[in-house]
Amino acid sequence: MKVLVIGGGAREHALCRSLSLDPDVTALHCAPGNAGIAEVAELHAVDVMDGAAVARLATELEARLVVVGPEAPLVAGVADAVRDAGIACFGPSAEAARLEGSKAFAKAVMAAASVPTGRSYVCTTPEEIDKALDAFGAPFVVKDDGLAAGKGVVVTDDLATARAHALACDRVVIEEFLDGPEVSLFAVTDGRTVLPLRPAQDFKRALDGDEGPNTGGMGAYSPLPWADPKLVDEVLETVLQPTVDELRRRGTPFSGLLYAGLAITSRGVRVIEFNARFGDPETQVVLARLRTPLAGVLLAAAEGRLADQPALVWRDDAAVTVVVASHNYPGTPRTGDPIEGLADVVAQDAPNAYVLHAGTRLADDGGTVLSAGGRVLSVTATGKDLAQARKRAYAAVDRIRLDGSQHRTDIAREAAEA
Ligand code: AMP
Ligand code: GLY
């Protein structure tokens, strides 16, 4: 089958890599892609926010399946436009993607479905904001209601900082602080049947020891040796299935990838957030462990046939990914710097370690790879356990040279030593 992937980050590189290894995929296209994706897929220029343009491209390419990676086009209705053109699309409708696009909507769905989450208030006036901040006390959790590319959430002990962020949002969700380790659990769903993937953990803060500002994610690993083996079943039963059932009941079924961001608190599992798409960088480690060919699973979800899908098959391997970011990320990043050493990773670390590209592009010479974003590379490795995967990932990171770049040195360290 011919597949078109929309997006151009490391998540889309991971998706394209898996799809390129699927014998059922006869042609792989990506728009807009990046320098790394160009090695496994044919790239096309498209405005990913323009549903009509994406649908036209998919029609021209005779795509059997379109996979929409990022949240912004999903919230904007790009999956609807593709489906309206008669092409199967992996990704929720604009209505269902509100689960990510509006935190207040997500809270309302969770309340209706009795899904465990932090207590919260939706506020639009300074009076409501002050009342909510006062009700919860520090640490304060203040979330912009709308999409904010990972920058909408402020968690702080400082009342003035919390208040200032809340006042800067049109509509804000103020929430109880949830303590405990975080888990990302993804599920593929066709709106009825829910197929959970393996859990992963993401490292959100910029610096070692979870210091520094929040980022899009600086690394991830899977499996989680410290997690309760019953966690996936429990989250399926208490979070994923009820949420999917509630959206179907509302007449806006969610089909695509449902991402539950969870806190494992002393009082049990709580949902921190839902996303309507694969997470980045967790996808890099989850897909590294999936043995079942990916295209068939995504197509079955897009076509409402997941009930017939055999159980997913997983490798015993562990996987770790380390994000290499530009100078000054998550602030305005420095871009346009050459990246060296990529071929050394292929020569010395493949197939156990490989580089997935996030913000990269080819220079006009057609050979040099340049940094082109905040998160530049997601260096991914597998191994018999986390310690081996981690060692391989960092060995590969050490071969890469990008002036001024930064990465965390403690991805998966605690879990590997446990
Ligand atoms: P989100 O964009 O909702 O994932 O939030 C970004 C990060 O903020 C999460 O990964 C958490 O680390 C943190 N966070 C969000 N909500 C809470 C909460 N209620 N309690 C504690 N930390 C939170
Ligand atoms: N890894 C966090 C996210 O994808 O939102």
Side-chain angles (χ1 to χ4, degrees):
M1 76 177 96
K2 296 178 181 170
V3 181
L4 169 63
V5 174
I6 299 300
R11 163 187 48 214
E12 287 76 25
H13 195 174
L15 286 163
C16 284
R17 180 178 183 273
S18 292
L19 291 166
S20 74
L21 297 171
D22 183 335
D24 284 338
V25 175
T26 52
L28 184 58
H29 301 273
C30 185
N34 61 36
I37 297 174
E39 290 171 17
V40 292
E42 188 181 329
L43 302 193
H44 304 271
V46 78
D47 175 359
V48 300
M49 298 299 287
D50 182 344
V54 171
R56 213 177 311 121
L57 176 64
T59 305
E60 273 166 30
L61 296 172
E62 298 178 337
R64 173 77 198 279
L65 172 68
V66 175
V67 180
V68 181
E71 62 275 18
L74 290 167
V75 171
V78 167
D80 304 86
V82 171
R83 275 191 282 271
D84 287 348
I87 298 170
C89 188
F90 184 80
S93 66
E95 282 289 333
R98 288 178 70 208
L99 211 49
E100 174 164 3
S102 165
K103 297 204 185 270
F105 177 76
K107 285 289 186 190
V109 169
M110 285 189 267
S114 302
V115 169
T117 184
R119 287 177 299 121
S120 65
Y121 296 102
V122 181
C123 309
T124 51
T125 66
E127 293 72 33
E128 286 171 352
I129 288 168
D130 286 333
K131 217 171 124 199
L133 292 172
D134 189 49
F136 290 128
F140 303 102
V141 181
V142 181
K143 302 184 171 184
D144 193 333
D145 178 52
L147 279 190
K151 299 200 172 105
V153 178
V154 166
V155 180
T156 176
D157 282 324
D158 183 49
L159 178 61
T161 307
R163 198 163 181 273
H165 181 59
L167 290 171
C169 304
D170 286 339
R171 200 148 91 120
V172 67
V173 175
I174 295 177
E175 184 174 281
E176 115 185 73
F177 180 78
L178 298 171
D179 210 357
E182 288 180 37
V183 172
S184 301
L185 183 63
F186 303 163
V188 172
T189 176
D190 58 7
R192 187 176 294 272
T193 301
V194 182
L195 215 57
L197 308 186
R198 291 283 157 98
Q201 191 171 50
D202 176 17
F203 292 74
K204 285 253 165 72
R205 300 286 184 142
L207 306 176
D208 282 8
D210 291 332
E211 300 285 339
N214 252 323
T215 70
M218 295 298 289
Y221 68 93
S222 178
L224 312 179
W226 49 268
D228 184 339
K230 296 193 294 290
L231 178 72
V232 173
D233 288 344
E234 182 193 336
V235 175
L236 175 61
E237 194 182 317
T238 62
V239 173
L240 298 166
Q241 191 71 55
T243 300
V244 166
D245 291 345
E246 172 62 19
L247 284 167
R248 192 177 65 250
R249 192 190 66 73
R250 290 172 179 229
T252 54
F254 185 105
S255 96
L257 195 288
L258 179 57
Y259 165 142
L262 307 161
I264 315 297
T265 76
S266 53
R267 289 175 297 134
V269 173
R270 299 283 184 276
V271 174
I272 288 189
E273 63 163 348
F274 281 127
N275 292 321
R277 36 87 195 166
F278 280 98
D280 190 347
E282 300 97 312
T283 300
Q284 289 85 301
V285 291
V286 172
L287 292 185
R289 303 183 59 217
L290 179 66
R291 197 185 285 279
T292 304
L294 184 61
V297 180
L298 302 186
L299 184 66
E303 294 184 340
R305 295 184 284 101
L306 265 191
D308 305 328
Q309 172 69 32
L312 298 175
V313 183
W314 297 90
R315 297 177 205 281
D316 292 332
D317 293 359
V320 171
T321 194
V322 178
V323 170
V324 175
S326 294
H327 181 70
N328 204 40
Y329 177 76
T332 307
R334 192 174 104 193
T335 58
D337 291 302
I339 305 165
E340 289 165 47
L342 295 169
D344 300 343
V345 176
V346 176
Q348 300 183 53
D349 303 306
N352 298 315
Y354 46 89
V355 178
L356 298 169
H357 291 221
T360 68
R361 65 180 178 85
L362 272 184
D364 292 339
D365 67 12
T368 311
V369 177
L370 301 176
S371 62
R375 290 190 291 177
V376 180
L377 305 169
S378 187
V379 181
T380 308
T382 55
K384 64 179 183 337
D385 54 22
L386 286 173
Q388 189 179 50
R390 184 169 190 277
K391 211 169 142 210
R392 287 171 169 168
Y394 278 108
V397 167
D398 286 342
R399 291 189 222 290
I400 293 166
R401 292 174 301 281
L402 168 62
D403 205 27
S405 71
Q406 42 163 334
H407 63 268
R408 280 183 62 158
T409 67
D410 63 347
I411 303 300
R413 183 164 64 204
E414 247 181 78
E417 285 168 0

